[in-house]
Amino acid sequence: MAKRNTDTSARADQLKEDLRHLSETVEELMNATSKDASSEMRDLRERAERRLKDTRTRLEARGERFYEDTRETLSEQAECCDRYVHENPWTSIGIGAAAGLVVGMLLGRR
């Protein structure tokens, strides 16, 4: 569990760094626009486009990894619950009955 929190923190830090680089490039582009120097403007535009493309690619890859990690975690948890229910059927029935009773009482008050 601690490893996943560390991974999530590292991913968040990398995302912040990518966004910071992108915003710096956009600021440079805006400053260059005000000077109206065409060669400098062209270079900054190319850098901005390149960084934007790289950032999009990395964000898409991270999004896909995050989705796969979440999917894997949920599958593992579902398998764990299924295993518990099969190993402890009467306890599971009791927990379900208690939860149903509580929900029924709460809905009955309305």
Side-chain angles (χ1 to χ4, degrees):
M1 184 66 93
K3 181 184 177 211
R4 289 192 181 173
N5 288 340
T6 304
D7 291 343
T8 304
S9 177
R11 289 177 187 171
D13 291 341
Q14 184 62 43
L15 177 62
K16 289 176 188 176
E17 185 69 18
D18 290 343
L19 291 175
R20 186 182 64 77
H21 283 299
L22 183 62
S23 66
E24 287 175 358
T25 304
V26 171
E27 287 177 18
E28 291 174 14
L29 182 62
M30 293 185 73
N31 290 336
T33 305
S34 65
K35 295 176 186 176
D36 199 37
S38 62
S39 65
E40 183 180 341
M41 183 72 148
R42 186 177 39 234
D43 292 340
L44 285 173
R45 279 185 186 156
E46 288 173 3
R47 284 179 47 203
E49 288 174 0
R50 196 170 42 246
R51 283 187 181 174
L52 183 59
K53 184 178 179 181
D54 291 344
T55 302
R56 283 183 181 166
T57 303
R58 280 189 294 225
L59 289 175
E60 287 174 1
R62 285 190 190 121
E64 289 173 10
R65 279 195 311 256
F66 181 72
Y67 172 78
E68 290 300 323
D69 291 346
T70 303
R71 186 175 176 187
E72 181 180 322
T73 300
L74 289 175
S75 292
E76 289 173 3
Q77 291 176 354
E79 288 174 14
C80 182
C81 289
D82 186 52
R83 202 171 31 252
Y84 178 82
V85 169
H86 281 90
E87 292 172 359
N88 304 299
W90 290 107
T91 304
S92 302
I93 291 170
I95 292 172
L101 181 66
V102 169
V103 170
M105 289 176 65
L106 290 173
L107 290 176
R109 287 187 170 184
R110 288 185 176 199

